[in-house]
Amino acid sequence: MTTVKPDNANETIEAQGLKKMEGISQLGVEITYPLMNYLDVGARYAKKMASSGEDLVVEADDYQARLDQDAFLLIARVPLKKSDFMRVDVFGGVGGTNTSFKIETASLNGELKKSVGDEWYASPYAAAGASLAFGYKRIYLVLEVGYEYNKIDGFKRSGNPGAIDTLDLSGGYFTLGLMFDGIPGTVN
């Protein structure tokens, strides 16, 4: 969960009778490979989602705001402690995102989109932090905390999405996930 406060988007959606967005859920996968004893490199993909429903639910209406983002990160990890059962590391990475923000209310119905087809490079994205992982040999359950830079502007607009020009989704985050560390590229 990323704790975000996209103030400009929240002002618009709250004025339309929707709840404000306060966090983003994500589901993803990360694969790393040990390049040296003290450096692991890899890639991370995450599907990030957030939605905001009506403050006062009216059955006849289906008003909502939805955020959908694909994020890709090239990552480097520096292991501080590494064993068959536990791992502690710090990391940093850079990449990009494709983002879509849709809003539907009584007076607004539109979409903001920043995308480059099948690639994830429409907006810059970066993250840094630390993780603690428990597992066996190469598969770990990871507890990760960090900060991510995730600011999107220059949207392609369709319909009437309101006065939103940028989304600042940067902030601290906590992730619980699985990590596949150092999967061999060849079979002996």
Side-chain angles (χ1 to χ4, degrees):
M1 174 68 76
T2 302
T3 305
V4 297
K5 294 179 181 160
D7 292 333
N8 59 338
N10 279 336
E11 288 172 9
T12 299
I13 63 178
E14 283 183 301
Q16 296 295 314
L18 300 176
K19 297 175 186 172
K20 67 180 176 179
M21 289 186 183
E22 296 183 301
I24 297 176
S25 299
Q26 65 180 356
L27 180 64
V29 64
E30 178 179 316
I31 298 174
T32 61
Y33 186 80
L35 190 58
M36 296 180 278
N37 284 339
Y38 296 103
L39 181 64
D40 295 350
V41 295
R44 174 190 292 179
Y45 167 80
K47 181 71 162 181
K48 300 177 178 228
M49 300 157 284
S51 63
S52 175
E54 299 172 83
D55 265 337
L56 300 171
V57 177
V58 178
E59 290 295 322
D61 301 330
D62 187 23
Y63 297 150
Q64 62 181 329
R66 292 179 37 169
L67 174 73
D68 186 13
Q69 186 177 64
D70 294 300
F72 179 75
L73 196 67
L74 295 175
I75 196 162
R77 291 186 174 272
V78 177
L80 303 175
K81 178 171 176 58
K82 193 172 185 180
S83 72
D84 283 348
F85 301 103
M86 187 177 80
R87 177 185 172 122
V88 178
D89 65 27
V90 293
F91 70 92
V94 295
T97 63
N98 279 344
T99 307
S100 171
F101 180 79
K102 296 179 184 177
I103 186 167
E104 183 178 345
T105 68
S107 61
L108 298 177
N109 188 355
E111 179 179 19
L112 300 170
K113 192 170 189 175
K114 184 141 185 201
S115 174
V116 182
D118 294 330
E119 298 176 11
W120 293 284
Y121 304 107
S123 297
Y125 172 61
S131 67
L132 171 65
F134 299 99
Y136 185 68
K137 298 223 180 218
R138 296 186 172 146
I139 300 175
Y140 293 86
L141 176 65
V142 180
L143 307 168
E144 183 174 285
V145 295
Y147 182 85
E148 61 186 10
Y149 170 81
N150 189 0
K151 187 173 182 178
I152 307 102
D153 57 11
F155 284 105
K156 179 180 177 187
R157 303 168 74 83
S158 62
N160 179 16
I164 302 168
D165 293 322
T166 63
L167 286 174
D168 189 354
L169 306 176
S170 301
Y173 71 90
F174 170 76
T175 299
L176 176 66
L178 291 176
M179 178 174 58
F180 303 96
D181 176 51
I183 303 298
T186 60
V187 177
N188 294 330

